[in-house]
Each structure stands twice: as structure tokens, then as C-alpha cells.
């Protein structure tokens, strides 16, 4: 009972933040102009952006399949894509305290996958995406410095990038610490996880494909945002989309709102504003991208309705299994590799 109260309270806080940020952004905008951008978006370009995000799910699934294979779990392509789409349904659409990660773990358990391997596979998938995102932000810094004159924005994005690099390096090298420290229960799971990700990216047979897919996924998101920007008449260049969308994705990934709503819009308005995109157009790009995410989630919902596991599903059991799994916190939060 107490656990359900905490979940409800957390959901309420996230909802309040999402609504609050959206209202705050809207207060300073011309809402009529925003509406005009949304209803007059080029339908062909909107469908193209939708197709890009749908294509992205196939790349996401390919990356996850490679990770599971490295863990010794045979996950065929169709089964993995079905699980991924169902998780997007739970992440993007349902007002549930059980996130897509927990559902992915539960569905893997239904396929007799060991709990430890299921958790490692989902968490490693998340962190691989994060590394790809940080790599793109590092690569984009020189372009950012040459194209943006706002010092506060440069410091914010630069600091965010450096913090991501530092956190990644620390996690991947935790096993270099004195054995007395890494044996502590609070650190041991992080050490094992960091070692796993380092193996996947540096030593596994498919390390090139893994890292390449992590980069490609974020580039597809940037491409979708570029297409949507052109669809509403915004003058956004391909280069600006490539360097300004990754920070939006990273900020959206922080699990403090409902499926990133509000945070994504605030970050999109701020970042695209650095490229001279008016706030109304930037907000319309974010809202249209959110609408695409909902559509993709609904496709996952249809797959879930036809899923044989639906009859035995229990939100409480799924959440409990995931929370009790060692290291699950490493994989919690919003998917940083897609659908910001």
C-alpha cells in the first residue's frame, strides 16, 4: 500500500512538472502562430519523420539483439522487436508507474531468460545509447563553438558534455579501484556493469556494430527533427540539427517528467533558439515529435493487445521483479536513444 502511494506521488510530481513547464513555455508565445505551425505542417514531411522514427526501432532492436547475444541469450529479431515495441507502449502512452524497462525484463523472464541476464541486457542497452549520445556531443562541440555566440549556452552544453564524459570514464574504470572498495555491495554491481559495457564496446566481436548503431540512432532522431523543422517552415540546417538535438535528447532522458513531456519542449526551444529558430516553430517541432512518439507507442499497444503474455501480466509483479534485480537502477529512466 505504501509502495503504491509512493508511486502515485511520484507520478503526480512528474505530471505536475510536465504540465508546469509546458504552461510556462506557452505563456511567452503566440499561441495562434503555434497552432498555425502545427496544423499546416507539410504532411509528406511529417510522414517522412514518422517513417524515420519507425525505422529507428529496427536499429534499436538490432543493437539490443547484439547485446543479448553477447550475454549468451538467443533473441530472434521479431521477438526482440515485439518486446521493444511493447516497452515503448508502456513508456510513451500509459500513465503507469511501471516503465518500459521493467516490462522488457518481465517479458524476457516469460521467455525463460535468467533475471540477471535480462537486467544486464536492458541496462547495457541503455548505457550504450548514452555513450553514443555523449560521443556525438563531443564531436559536435567544435561546430557548436564556431556557430553559437551565447556564452551561457556554450557553458551549459559544454558542462553537460564533460559531465557525461567524466561519468562514463568513471563507470568503465571502476574495476581499477582498490579491491577493498570494489568489493563493497554498493559498488560491486556498478563495477560488474561497467566491466560488461567495456567488454561490449571494446572487446566483443560486434563492437563496431554496437557503437555504430548507438551513433546512428541519435542521428536518426536529429534527422527526424530536421525534417519536422522544414515541415513547419523553420530555417534549420542539417549541421545545426546534428549538434543541437543530442543535448535535447540527453536532457529529455532525465526521468523527471512524464515520458519527457515538458522537458523536451523546454530543451528544444532553448537549443533550436541558438540556431535562430523562433520559439513557436521550435515548440511545434517538439510537439510533433512527441505526437510521433505517441503514434509509435500506439503501434506497440496494438502488438501488446495481441500478445499471448498479456493474460498473465501483472504490473505489481513486473515492477517488483525489476526492482529486486541487482543493478536495475542502472537501466532505469527514459530511453535516451530515441523518441526524445
Amino acid at each position: 500500500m505504501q509502495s503504491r502511494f509512493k508511486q502515485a506521488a511520484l507520478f503526480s510530481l512528474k505530471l505536475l512538472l510536465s504540465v508546469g513547464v509546458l504552461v510556462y513555455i506557452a505563456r511567452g508565445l503566440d499561441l495562434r502562430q503555434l497552432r498555425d505551425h502545427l496544423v499546416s505542417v507539410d504532411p509528406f514531411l511529417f510522414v517522412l519523420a514518422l517513417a524515420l522514427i519507425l525505422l529507428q526501432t529496427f536499429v534499436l532492436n538490432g543493437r539490443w539483439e547484439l547485446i543479448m547475444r553477447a550475454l549468451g541469450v538467443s533473441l530472434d529479431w521479431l521477438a526482440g522487436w515485439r518486446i521493444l515495441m511493447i516497452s515503448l507502449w508502456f513508456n510513451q502512452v500509459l500513465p503507469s508507474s511501471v516503465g518500459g524497462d521493467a516490462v522488457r525484463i518481465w517479458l524476457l523472464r516469460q521467455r525463460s531468460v535468467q533475471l540477471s541476464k535480462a537486467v544486464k541486457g536492458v541496462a547495457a542497452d541503455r548505457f550504450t545509447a548514452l555513450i553514443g549520445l555523449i560521443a556525438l556531443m563531443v564531436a559536435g562541440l567544435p561546430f557548436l563553438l564556431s556557430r553559437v555566440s551565447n556564452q551561457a549556452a556554450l557553458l551549459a552544453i559544454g558542462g553537460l558534455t564533460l559531465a557525461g564524459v567524466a561519468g562514463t570514464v568513471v563507470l568503465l574504470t571502476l574495476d581499477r579501484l582498490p579491491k577493498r572498495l570494489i568489493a563493497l555491495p554498493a559498488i560491486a554491481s556498478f563495477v560488474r556493469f561497467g566491466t560488461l559495457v567495456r567488454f561490449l564496446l571494446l572487446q566483443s566481436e560486434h563492437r563496431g556494430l554496437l557503437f555504430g548503431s548507438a551513433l546512428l540512432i541519435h542521428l536518426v532522431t536529429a534527422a527526424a527533427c530536421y525534417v519536422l523543422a522544414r515541415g513547419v517552415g523553420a530555417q534549420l540546417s542539417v549541421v545545426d540539427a546534428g549538434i543541437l538535438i543530442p543535448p535535447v535528447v540527453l536532457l529529455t532522458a532525465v526521468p523527471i517528467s512524464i515520458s519527457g513531456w515538458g522537458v523536451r519542449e523546454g530543451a528544444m526551444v532553448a537549443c533550436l533558439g541558438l540556431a535562430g529558430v523562433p520559439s513557436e516553430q521550435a515548440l511545434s517541432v517538439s510537439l510533433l515529435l512527441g505526437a510521433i512518439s505517441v503514434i509509435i507507442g500506439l503501434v506497440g499497444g496494438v502488438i501488446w493487445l495481441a500478445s499471448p503474455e498479456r493474460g498473465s501480466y501483472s504490473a505489481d509483479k513486473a515492477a517488483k521483479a525489476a526492482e529486486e534485480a541487482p543493478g536495475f537502477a542502472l537501466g532505469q529512466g527514459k530511453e535516451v536513444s530515441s523518441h526524445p
Side-chain angles (χ1 to χ4, degrees), residues 56 60 63 84 88 91-92 101 104 122-137 168 213-222 245-255 259-260 330-340:
Q56 188 185 60
L60 280 166
R63 182 189 67 196
L84 175 67
L88 292 178
N91 259 349
Q92 295 290 340
D101 282 345
R104 272 211 278 177
V122 172
D125 184 45
R126 289 283 180 259
F127 200 72
T128 302
L130 179 60
I131 291 176
L133 185 60
I134 292 170
L136 282 179
M137 291 176 65
T168 300
S213 65
L215 296 176
L216 178 60
I217 284 164
H218 300 303
L219 291 175
V220 171
T221 300
I245 296 303
V248 174
V249 177
L250 184 58
L251 290 171
T252 306
V254 181
S259 296
L330 289 168
Q332 281 185 310
K334 179 81 165 52
E335 164 69 83
V336 302
S337 59
S338 66
H339 319 305

Side-chain angles (χ1 to χ4, degrees), residues 82-287:
R82 186 176 65 85
I83 292 173
L84 175 67
M85 292 300 292
I86 291 172
S87 75
L88 292 178
W89 158 250
F90 279 86
N91 259 349
Q92 295 290 340
V93 180
L94 289 185
S96 170
S97 59
V98 182
D101 282 345
V103 173
R104 272 211 278 177
I105 292 171
W106 183 82
L107 286 170
L108 285 173
R109 293 289 294 136
Q110 302 310 298
R111 298 178 63 86
S112 301
V113 176
Q114 291 179 7
L115 179 59
S116 61
K117 290 184 177 182
V119 173
K120 287 178 181 178
V122 172
D125 184 45
R126 289 283 180 259
F127 200 72
T128 302
L130 179 60
I131 291 176
L133 185 60
I134 292 170
L136 282 179
M137 291 176 65
V138 170
L141 278 179
F143 297 94
L144 192 70
L145 292 171
S146 65
R147 301 170 78 88
V148 175
S149 58
N150 188 316
Q151 295 298 315
L154 289 173
L155 285 174
I157 296 176
L160 191 64
T161 304
L162 291 176
V165 171
T168 300
V169 171
V170 168
L171 183 62
L172 296 183
T173 58
L174 276 176
D175 60 330
R176 302 290 194 268
L177 293 175
K179 292 184 178 181
R180 181 178 55 185
L181 287 177
I182 63 178
L184 296 174
I187 300 178
S189 60
F190 288 90
V191 173
R192 291 192 295 270
F193 177 69
T195 304
L196 168 63
V197 174
R198 192 175 67 210
F199 165 78
L200 290 171
L201 294 176
L202 299 179
Q203 297 173 294
S204 71
E205 180 182 355
H206 302 291
R207 56 188 179 275
L209 280 174
L210 278 173
F211 189 69
S213 65
L215 296 176
L216 178 60
I217 284 164
H218 300 303
L219 291 175
V220 171
T221 300
C225 290
Y226 169 77
V227 169
L228 290 173
R230 303 302 294 184
V232 298
Q235 299 302 308
L236 179 69
S237 70
V238 173
V239 174
D240 286 335
I243 63 177
L244 294 173
I245 296 303
V248 174
V249 177
L250 184 58
L251 290 171
T252 306
V254 181
I256 58 174
S257 63
I258 301 299
S259 296
W261 286 95
V263 175
R264 177 185 57 235
E265 283 65 43
M268 192 76 78
V269 169
C271 287
L272 294 192
L274 298 175
V277 177
S279 297
E280 289 82 5
Q281 289 182 328
L283 181 56
S284 65
V285 169
S286 185
L287 292 174

